[in-house]
Amino acid sequence: MTTDRWAQWLLTRRDGDSEALRARDRVSLAAFRDGVLARADLRPGDVVLDVGCGTGLIGLAALERLGPSGQVIFSDISDDLLDECRRAAGDDPRATFVNASADDLTGIDDSSVDVVTMRSVLIYSDRKEAAFREFFRVLRPGGRLSIFEPINRFLVDHGPHRLFGLPESEIDDLLRKISLVYFDAGSAPASQTMVDFDERDLLAWADAAGFESVELDYRAELRAPSDPIVDWEGLKRSAPNPLAPTYGDAIAGVLTPEEQRRLDIHMRGLVEAATPGRRTMAMVFLRADRPTA
């Protein structure tokens, strides 16, 4: 039984424990994983530190690619998620596990790893620049850093945000009420770490930490076509991030019973019609080297 919010979100609340939503997300998660590992340039015998390993998306795949002499250190602030990774790794002697945050990798020796990988972790940190210094510290000379981060400031700069990517309709008044739960700074101060940086900051922090050969691949989409909603009840059980309430809890908190009924009728109609949405997002892959001397 998992107890912390990070494990609860990754294991059930991210997709509402809905197989339809899980299947929809599987493609994008695989793309993020493969993008990070491709830029990491894994080599036989490498020691990989997977920061914020979660359920092991990147670390477990790295084990498969490293060969018998490689090693993966799974690090996370969640003991529950480290336990999930232990179960997934089985008795593999190449896997070790450390409870540590991205900005304080205590327990990882200086110049002890060849590769640092990470996916969607800095958005939860209020010490992002310190994290880059820690990545530099634990890497050996010539080591590589490869990370992925969403750039949520893009949503702020290109609002107003359309909840669920829905087109304009007769339920816009309801969506505005729900959106305030997630996008009003006064009501959700913990989420400010998710929007307090962009790609320029990542480049500056990598440079200030001492990295060289810093490369950043940036992708942005503005109101681009997206997949339709496939499971409304599952979506209501899900949450956009570990710090946020589920959509169902937000709906129950701000809408009257009659408004909830009107929302349900409309959303079920969109599911039945397979109505496509619109997506606004930005993300980056960043890779960098620790100098050899």
Side-chain angles (χ1 to χ4, degrees):
M1 178 67 67
T2 59
T3 56
D4 71 64
R5 62 186 179 182
W6 309 102
Q8 289 172 2
W9 186 73
L10 283 172
L11 295 172
T12 59
R13 295 174 77 246
R14 177 168 60 183
D15 51 37
D17 207 21
S18 162
E19 183 52 41
L21 295 179
R22 193 171 293 130
R24 181 200 64 185
D25 294 341
R26 196 171 289 134
V27 173
S28 58
L29 289 173
F32 301 155
R33 174 200 66 205
D34 294 345
V36 168
L37 290 176
R39 290 166 177 80
D41 186 24
L42 298 185
R43 303 161 190 173
D46 274 346
V47 176
V48 176
L49 171 62
D50 187 24
V51 177
C53 60
T55 56
L57 177 73
I58 293 175
L60 293 171
L63 278 176
E64 295 177 356
R65 304 180 190 196
L66 283 173
S69 60
Q71 180 184 356
V72 174
I73 304 169
F74 295 80
S75 76
D76 205 284
I77 61 171
S78 165
D79 286 329
D80 289 333
L81 288 173
L82 291 173
D83 286 342
E84 285 293 320
C85 290
R86 284 189 185 93
R87 283 191 282 271
D91 297 325
D92 195 325
R94 301 173 300 154
T96 56
F97 308 88
V98 176
N99 186 304
S101 65
D103 56 36
D104 183 4
L105 293 170
T106 300
I108 310 297
D109 292 338
D110 294 358
S111 303
S112 62
V113 306
D114 300 290
V115 179
V116 170
T117 60
M118 187 176 67
R119 183 192 70 85
S120 301
V121 174
L122 291 178
I123 56 172
Y124 304 114
S125 173
D126 58 3
R127 299 181 67 242
K128 297 176 177 68
E129 188 169 7
F132 277 90
R133 292 195 295 268
E134 283 291 87
F135 303 155
F136 190 90
R137 177 184 68 79
V138 301
L139 280 168
R140 295 182 177 122
R144 289 91 67 201
L145 171 68
S146 180
I147 69 174
F148 167 91
E149 288 291 330
I151 303 299
N152 289 338
R153 185 183 287 174
F154 187 81
L155 297 177
V156 177
D157 294 342
H158 293 85
H161 181 77
R162 298 290 305 173
L163 195 66
F164 310 129
L166 298 181
E168 293 184 7
S169 71
E170 66 273 13
I171 64 163
D172 277 3
D173 59 321
L174 308 181
L175 297 181
R176 281 192 292 271
K177 291 182 180 181
I178 304 166
S179 292
L180 287 176
V181 176
Y182 300 104
F183 300 104
D184 178 69
S187 65
S191 67
Q192 290 310 294
T193 62
M194 300 181 188
V195 296
D196 66 357
F197 72 104
D198 64 19
E199 68 282 357
R200 295 164 295 184
D201 297 307
L202 295 176
L203 287 169
W205 293 329
D207 182 54
F211 285 101
E212 64 180 15
S213 300
V214 182
E215 300 174 3
L216 185 144
D217 295 320
Y218 176 85
R219 178 180 177 85
E221 298 180 2
L222 188 60
R223 292 183 289 280
S226 66
D227 295 333
I229 295 172
V230 293
D231 182 353
W232 171 232
E233 294 304 318
L235 186 59
K236 285 196 291 185
R237 295 191 301 269
S238 72
N241 63 70
L243 307 179
T246 66
Y247 291 115
D249 287 341
I251 289 166
V254 299
L255 300 186
T256 67
E258 175 55 30
E259 288 173 331
Q260 292 178 49
R261 188 188 70 83
R262 183 155 64 95
L263 177 67
D264 282 339
I265 291 173
H266 184 87
M267 296 301 291
R268 288 168 185 154
L270 294 181
V271 172
E272 291 176 5
T275 304
R278 292 283 178 179
R279 176 176 59 239
T280 294
M281 55 79 68
M283 61 183 188
V284 299
F285 290 94
L286 181 144
R287 59 115 26 230
D289 297 336
R290 175 169 174 169
T292 55

